[in-house]
């Protein structure tokens, strides 16, 4: 089965499934192809060039499968590859295709959650080093102070199914502690990595119950719904049979096991061979 005119959803691994889950809840009728580049995950510590090259390859594959619209459900790819893809590749090679990221829609609303105008951002090293959240949040909420902390061990823990085990506590306490030590006024923490919602139960144990913990899934889903209303030329060309396909560059059995944790349902993924 090859779905025509699907919405492509891409992540370095499983994390984008948190976004996929929110999107398909509010927009269940569209066709979707999810691609996780698990064989080359995590992206967090790769160079700008490598993340751009890997992301472009995956986006082009989704285009080849009939996806006119692709969501980069990955902050690292959104921070390091989206701009190049939009400015260099789409305009030259794919003028009718669209690629959207997760940083801008999140930056557009994050300032509405904080009462102290102080937001903490937890992300991969790549996302944090790019400074993308500081730049984007400042555009929409210039009064909001942004403090960042990278959590390089979290994606490997999640990709290996260790995130809910005792060993994970050390790294949750460490990174959350380092973030909160930067500013006691932080009243809103953004999980700026689509893998991190799986860490929520552990994170809650190390922060005050007053602090708002914001995951991106619903924010990105609402933003996509709004985008489709504003862009009928894209929306009207999308298939609406409610079909969903999952591909991974990694091991399908492992993907299926993990995906059921992220999605709360069983799926059968296909292997994308390179
Ligand atoms: N889910 C990706 C993100 O949002 C994880 C990046 C990685 O593979 O390190 O940043």
């Amino acid at each position: 089965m090859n779905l025509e005119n699907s919405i492509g959803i891409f992540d370095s691994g499983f994390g984008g499934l948190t976004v996929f889950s929110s999107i398909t809840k509010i927009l269940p009728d569209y066709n979707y192809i999810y691609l996780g580049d698990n064989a080359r995950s995590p992206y967090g510590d790769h160079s700008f060039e490598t993340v751009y090259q890997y992301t472009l390859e995956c986006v082009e594959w989704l285009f080849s499968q009939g996806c006119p619209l692709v969501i980069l459900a990955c902050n690292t790819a959104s921070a390091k590859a989206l701009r190049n893809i939009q400015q260099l590749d789409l305009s030259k090679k794919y003028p009718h295709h669209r690629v959207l990221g997760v940083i801008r829609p999140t930056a557009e609303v994050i300032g509405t959650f904080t009462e102290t105008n102080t937001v903490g951002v937890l992300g991969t090293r790549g996302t944090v080093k790019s400074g993308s959240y500081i730049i984007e949040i400042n555009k929409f909420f210039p009064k909001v102070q942004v403090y960042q902390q990278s959590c390089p061990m979290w994606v490997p823990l999640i990709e290996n199914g260790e995130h809910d085990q005792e060993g994970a506590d050390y790294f949750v306490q460490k990174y959350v502690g380092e973030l909160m030590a930067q500013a006691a006024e932080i009243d809103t923490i953004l999980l700026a990595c689509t893998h991190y919602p799986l860490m929520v139960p552990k994170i809650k144990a190390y922060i005050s119950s007053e602090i708002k913990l914001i995951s991106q899934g619903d924010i990105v889903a609402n933003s996509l719904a709004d985008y489709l209303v504003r862009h009928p030329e894209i929306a009207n060309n999308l298939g609406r049979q409610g079909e969903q396909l999952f591909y991974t560059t990694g091991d399908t059995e492992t993907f299926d096991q993990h995906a059921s944790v992220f999605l709360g349902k069983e799926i059968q993924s296909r292997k994308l061979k390179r």
Side-chain angles (χ1 to χ4, degrees):
M1 185 171 48
N2 190 12
L3 300 185
E4 282 302 313
N5 297 330
S6 309
I7 298 176
I9 301 195
F10 165 73
D11 180 49
S12 60
F14 306 112
L17 291 170
T18 59
V19 173
F20 178 92
S21 176
S22 294
I23 289 178
T24 51
K25 248 179 223 136
I26 70 163
L27 298 166
D29 297 339
Y30 291 101
N31 299 334
Y32 294 93
I33 302 180
Y34 183 92
L35 172 60
D37 193 9
N38 298 76
R40 302 187 294 195
S41 168
Y43 278 15
D45 285 332
H46 289 321
S47 70
F48 180 93
E49 276 68 31
T50 303
V51 173
Y52 168 47
Q53 182 208 322
Y54 287 178
T55 305
L56 181 60
E57 278 173 25
C58 290
V59 165
E60 288 189 318
W61 181 81
L62 285 164
F63 286 171
S64 77
Q65 299 302 296
C67 298
L69 173 64
V70 172
I71 313 297
L72 301 185
C74 174
N75 289 271
T76 313
S78 299
K80 291 181 151 187
L82 180 62
R83 204 181 149 94
N84 267 6
I85 290 176
Q86 283 177 334
Q87 292 184 353
L88 303 177
D89 303 291
L90 294 191
S91 59
K92 272 195 211 129
K93 287 193 270 177
Y94 309 100
H96 301 299
H97 288 71
R98 296 288 176 270
V99 179
L100 305 174
V102 290
I103 296 179
R104 194 185 165 102
T106 307
E108 275 174 5
V109 299
I110 195 69
T112 61
F113 295 97
T114 172
E115 278 154 38
T116 59
N117 278 334
T118 318
V119 171
V121 171
L122 296 172
T124 65
R125 273 204 193 106
T127 300
V128 165
K129 269 198 202 147
S130 76
S132 301
Y133 273 101
I134 296 181
I135 296 163
E136 290 297 319
I137 293 173
N138 187 259
K139 283 185 195 156
F140 299 103
F141 302 97
K143 288 200 185 115
V144 170
Q145 287 292 321
V146 179
Y147 295 88
Q148 305 189 97
Q149 176 63 43
S150 60
C151 313
M153 290 302 290
W154 285 7
V155 170
L157 284 168
I158 294 164
E159 293 273 320
N160 287 290
E162 294 287 336
H163 56 280
D164 52 1
Q165 302 298 306
E166 248 173 61
D169 282 272
Y170 173 80
F171 288 105
V172 173
Q173 188 172 17
K174 176 177 162 67
Y175 299 144
V176 170
E178 283 169 10
L179 175 70
M180 293 311 295
Q182 295 182 48
E185 302 79 28
I186 292 172
D187 69 346
T188 303
I189 295 180
L190 169 64
L191 301 180
C193 171
T194 54
H195 282 69
Y196 294 176
L198 269 81
M199 287 292 198
V200 165
K202 291 242 183 248
I203 298 170
K204 279 190 171 158
Y206 297 102
I207 57 171
S208 141
S209 57
E210 314 269 284
I211 294 179
K212 291 176 202 148
L213 208 46
I214 309 296
S215 299
Q216 295 175 290
D218 291 350
I219 294 173
V220 174
N222 288 325
S223 165
L224 176 61
D226 180 55
Y227 177 88
L228 293 173
V229 170
R230 287 185 290 109
H231 294 275
E233 76 285 4
I234 305 277
N236 292 342
N237 287 328
L238 292 169
R240 294 186 191 208
Q241 287 78 40
E243 303 283 354
Q244 301 178 359
L245 286 183
F246 297 88
Y247 283 86
T248 175
T249 56
D251 176 57
T252 51
E253 225 172 277
T254 314
F255 188 90
D256 296 351
Q257 272 167 15
H258 283 67
S260 63
V261 177
F262 278 85
L263 295 173
K265 66 174 184 184
E266 298 297 317
I267 60 127
Q268 267 196 333
S269 61
R270 295 147 185 240
K271 171 96 177 166
L272 169 57
K273 293 199 185 78
R274 300 216 155 264

